[in-house]
Amino acid sequence: MRVIVWLVEGTWPACVDAVGTHAPHATDVVLLHVAEPGVPGLAHGAFAGLLGRGHSEPDPGDRLETLGTTSAAQLLDAAAERLGRPSARVERAGRVEREVVAAAEGADLLVLARDGDRTRLGPHSLGRAGRFVVDHAPCPVLLVWPEAAPDVTTIPPPPPHP
């Protein structure tokens, strides 16, 4: 059984724990982190434009890229340690939701955490990226709450009937 675990800062422990609970016999676990290259790209552009003229400081985009790479490696290391069994670590860059869907091709299970409003039950508990991945994943999806799920009383009321 091949399991892809999409790791996002702030919610990854719940995903790793879900593998141990719901896919304990998975033989191939892949820990996946996807970086969106937009922020360093903006910093590169700003530096090359107005901010970089006449200054000898290094390009802040390079620093952001380094910080992002270091952070991703630390997150993958922490997740591998928490999982406590052999796993592959994969880092990808690009549009996050599309990279996750592409990485899930051929997998038997994709594990991800809710990335939207987690204060109540409902469709808003999935953000843009999470909704896209759930809708387009080419395999079964295990969607976990990063913390205890809200009470069922938080379900929005039904719409009024005409």
Side-chain angles (χ1 to χ4, degrees):
M1 175 180 210
R2 182 168 190 253
V3 177
I4 307 295
V5 187
W6 177 23
L7 304 174
V8 176
E9 292 80 357
T11 61
W12 65 267
C15 294
V16 171
D17 294 346
V19 172
T21 302
H22 300 288
H25 303 297
T27 56
D28 184 13
V29 177
V30 177
L31 303 173
L32 170 68
H33 181 268
V34 181
E36 189 132 16
V39 173
L42 287 174
H44 286 306
F47 185 75
L50 297 174
L51 300 175
R53 293 184 181 166
H55 298 284
S56 59
E57 295 94 24
D59 184 346
D62 293 339
R63 177 84 172 126
L64 287 172
E65 284 181 4
T66 301
L67 289 171
T69 301
T70 302
S71 174
Q74 290 173 343
L75 187 147
L76 289 168
D77 289 346
E81 183 177 330
R82 187 177 183 109
L83 183 62
R85 62 184 193 198
S87 59
R89 302 171 197 188
V90 174
E91 291 185 52
R92 297 178 82 140
R95 294 209 40 181
V96 173
E97 63 275 12
R98 293 189 179 272
E99 292 297 323
V100 172
V101 169
E105 186 174 2
D108 297 301
L109 182 66
L110 171 64
V111 180
L112 65 137
R114 295 179 184 270
D115 60 352
D117 179 7
R118 300 189 308 255
T119 60
R120 63 185 181 98
L121 300 174
H124 298 292
S125 65
L126 286 172
R128 181 187 58 82
R131 170 56 56 198
F132 184 92
V133 170
V134 168
D135 287 344
H136 296 84
C139 63
V141 172
L142 175 59
L143 180 62
V144 300
W145 286 94
E147 59 278 324
D151 189 82
V152 294
T153 59
T154 63
I155 295 175
H161 293 284

